[in-house]
Amino acid sequence: MLVYPGSVDFDKICSSIVNPLTASGFIDTCQKNKVTAVIQDAAASALGKQFIRLCKHYGITLINVVWREEQVELLKKEEGAEFVLNSESPTFEADLKGLIAKV
């Protein structure tokens, strides 16, 4: 059982429990199915960042999709994400197809 003080925001409590469990569950599913590469949308979210770190740790190639250009650099610099694509880019579809063929 986890007990949080009443002053802690409900959303922060949820993300401190739900996101790590979700990311761990994704890794477990990847391992059970011998998945070596994954594409994730909303990669700049708290869950997305946790998943990036776990994929790096477990050697799973991850293609990250974000919605804004500034998020591309953020994930590359702060999280060390190798593959990050902006879904709003005019070349997104071709870039994604190229990465899928590469990994």
Side-chain angles (χ1 to χ4, degrees), residues 76-90:
K76 287 183 175 183
K77 288 180 183 176
E78 291 185 10
E79 301 300 331
E82 184 175 3
F83 304 115
V84 186
L85 299 175
N86 177 357
S87 63
E88 297 300 312
S89 167

Side-chain angles (χ1 to χ4, degrees), residues 9-75:
D9 181 62
F10 180 74
D11 290 339
K12 289 183 182 180
I13 292 171
C14 291
S15 67
S16 72
I17 298 169
V18 174
N19 287 346
L21 289 175
T22 301
S24 294
F26 288 161
I27 293 295
D28 184 57
T29 299
C30 289
Q31 290 175 326
K32 284 180 181 174
N33 293 291
K34 297 179 179 24
V35 171
T36 59
V38 176
I39 300 170
Q40 80 161 330
D41 194 12
S45 68
L47 172 60
K49 291 175 183 177
Q50 290 173 1
F51 194 53
I52 290 168
R53 284 180 238 130
L54 284 173
C55 284
K56 285 175 62 175
H57 178 78
Y58 287 100
I60 298 169
T61 300
L62 184 60
I63 298 173
N64 299 283
V65 178
V66 295
W67 301 322
R68 294 189 311 269
E69 194 58 36
E70 62 268 16
Q71 294 171 325
V72 172
E73 291 307 311
L74 174 99
L75 291 184

